[in-house]
Amino acid sequence: MRSRTAIVVLIVTLSLGGAAVYGFTAGGGGGGLQTLWVSDTAQPVLSNHHAPAAGRIDGQSVVYAPISGNYSSDQCAFVALDGTTGDQIWNYSIPLKNCTIHSVADPAIADVNQDGTKEVLVETTENRVHGFEGLSGQRLFSYNLTSYGYTKPIVADFVEGEGKEIIAVDTNGTAIVIHPNGTVAWRQHVSGYVNSQPALADFSGDGTTELAVGFGANALVVFDADGAVEWSRSSPLNSTITWMATGQTDEDPPTEIVVANTKGQVVVFDGAEGEIEWKRDFGDFSAVRSLEDGDRDGQPELYVVARDGKLRSLNATTGATEWTTTLDTGDIQVVPAPSLGDVDGDGRPELVSVTNGGVVSVIDPRTGDVLGSYERDVPIWDHPQLADTDGDGADEIYVMYGDGRVAALSAGRAPD
């Protein structure tokens, strides 16, 4: 990415009931943010806290919005939006008796039956995981869970045999692996409320795939493909795991697991044995999501935020701080974890961070400089979703605001 210029033009406008500020960098290439659309999905709450999913299905740009609302109301729904215009394509309404602020979890887009067309899956407070045809909204399957889900289902060829499985973990602490025909491959229960996104990877480093799940304040557990526990660790957590990232922090084969918790601890575990590689404390409500060589210096970075409103780039191998940027100085409750992607199509990744105060910022992962921003006077509670939905080689940015509106943003393209 080219260096940021000194001239920033701010345009202030009133957009769909919230003040919006759009920051554009003049002349330097793709760092500014422009609004593509803001969805007409507002509800009379400010605590929607699940991220949308975005992608392309049969050549069409689609965004899936998990909308929650007041208890026992008609406000809760799973809504498919046209990724180009933000117009509604279809809507699955959650029954009134199941409508709460946790009604619809993070969706997943995947080709479950391997027919070449992707479906969309989501867990709800109906205590079920649903699968829908992506463009028509026809429900293809609906499988029972023991409780409602908070996290995104995983679709992968995990267990022995042909085809992919659906992996769902509910808030009761039950992990379930389901074949596409609805039969259960295995089910395991560990006490603990599951907030953080489970992950599949070769944690053992032996060429096989394992499932890592953070069970609240009780344990971080790695399961093998048969459902057997490979290892489980509770110390030094002593607090609810709310975020998790996975990736390589060193040169050995096992994939590392990084957890962040409500006490502000960030802990890196070796994936093979669960040994602690390093840990740091950032105060309350630390969050992690991206573990990657974001600055392209040949060393992986871990990007960490906390309730103090600061974003930090850490050397993922040692935990040393490379840079720190202040995102918010206000009285905030949480700062959601940032996402990493190429939002200007220049072949280098950028960080996209959001704040509880409603600000979306594009940040240079090499320096921590803020390259562009957008703001609505509405809180944000979850990470931004990045996806190249228009096929131009640059990721668009999709953000769920607390009022149930999704903001679709673009950083444009860097000059060739």
Side-chain angles (χ1 to χ4, degrees), residues 259-272:
V259 300
N261 62 26
T262 53
K263 286 186 177 179
Q265 296 171 317
V266 172
V267 186
V268 179
F269 292 89
D270 172 75

Side-chain angles (χ1 to χ4, degrees), residues 71-393:
Y71 182 73
S72 296
S73 72
D74 62 357
Q75 299 161 5
C76 301
F78 183 46
V79 183
L81 304 169
D82 186 303
T84 302
T85 65
D87 294 336
Q88 186 173 141
I89 301 174
W90 55 263
N91 179 320
Y92 172 75
S93 296
I94 303 298
L96 270 62
K97 66 178 181 179
N98 302 116
C99 185
T100 73
I101 200 57
H102 292 295
S103 284
V104 189
D106 295 18
I109 301 172
D111 184 3
V112 179
N113 55 17
Q114 298 179 280
D115 63 353
T117 299
K118 294 178 181 179
E119 293 78 41
V120 59
L121 297 82
V122 70
E123 300 173 35
T124 75
T125 47
E126 300 161 276
N127 297 350
R128 301 184 75 84
V129 54
H130 300 299
F132 299 93
E133 191 174 84
L135 297 182
S136 72
Q138 177 186 355
R139 190 165 64 179
L140 303 175
F141 56 81
S142 181
Y143 302 139
N144 286 322
L145 304 174
T146 64
S147 182
Y148 69 92
Y150 193 94
T151 57
K152 178 172 64 175
I154 300 172
V155 177
D157 185 1
F158 181 37
V159 305
E160 185 176 351
E162 295 184 0
K164 297 180 178 181
E165 294 80 40
I166 301 162
I167 303 166
V169 183
D170 61 36
T171 54
N172 187 46
T174 299
I176 184 170
V177 180
I178 308 169
H179 294 292
N181 64 5
T183 60
V184 175
W186 57 261
R187 180 188 286 109
Q188 287 282 21
H189 175 75
V190 178
S191 179
Y193 189 99
V194 179
N195 280 326
S196 59
Q197 177 61 40
L200 278 184
D202 181 9
F203 297 113
S204 61
D206 64 358
T208 62
T209 301
E210 293 84 30
L211 173 67
V213 184
F215 292 93
N218 294 330
L220 172 65
V221 181
V222 171
F223 300 96
D224 69 15
D226 295 323
V229 175
E230 294 211 340
W231 57 262
S232 175
R233 297 288 181 272
S234 56
S235 178
L237 303 175
N238 303 318
S239 180
T240 300
I241 299 171
T242 48
W243 294 87
M244 189 164 72
T246 62
Q248 283 289 351
T249 67
D250 50 32
E251 296 181 352
D252 63 9
T255 299
E256 279 72 39
I257 304 169
V258 186
V259 300
N261 62 26
T262 53
K263 286 186 177 179
Q265 296 171 317
V266 172
V267 186
V268 179
F269 292 89
D270 172 75
E273 302 292 339
E275 297 177 352
I276 296 171
E277 297 192 349
W278 59 263
K279 61 180 178 177
R280 289 188 61 180
D281 191 334
F282 297 97
D284 293 331
F285 295 103
S286 56
V288 296
R289 187 169 184 263
S290 299
L291 195 174
E292 190 177 331
D293 183 11
D295 58 11
R296 296 300 189 256
D297 66 351
Q299 298 292 325
E301 284 79 38
L302 177 68
Y303 300 99
V304 180
V305 290
R307 193 176 184 177
D308 62 4
K310 295 178 180 179
L311 167 64
R312 304 157 180 89
S313 174
L314 306 184
N315 181 306
T317 304
T318 67
T321 301
E322 296 185 348
W323 52 256
T324 300
T325 292
T326 298
L327 301 173
D328 199 323
T329 58
D331 183 16
I332 56 178
Q333 295 187 46
V334 297
V335 178
S339 299
L340 194 67
D342 183 6
V343 299
D344 64 0
D346 68 351
R348 298 181 61 94
E350 291 77 44
L351 278 167
V352 181
S353 284
V354 297
T355 73
N356 201 205
V359 179
V360 183
S361 299
V362 176
I363 295 170
D364 190 331
R366 296 170 296 183
T367 62
D369 289 343
V370 177
L371 305 173
S373 63
Y374 165 93
E375 181 177 2
R376 289 183 66 224
D377 189 20
V378 179
I380 302 171
W381 301 97
D382 206 352
H383 68 274
Q385 188 66 261
L386 311 182
D388 180 13
T389 55
D390 60 9
D392 69 349

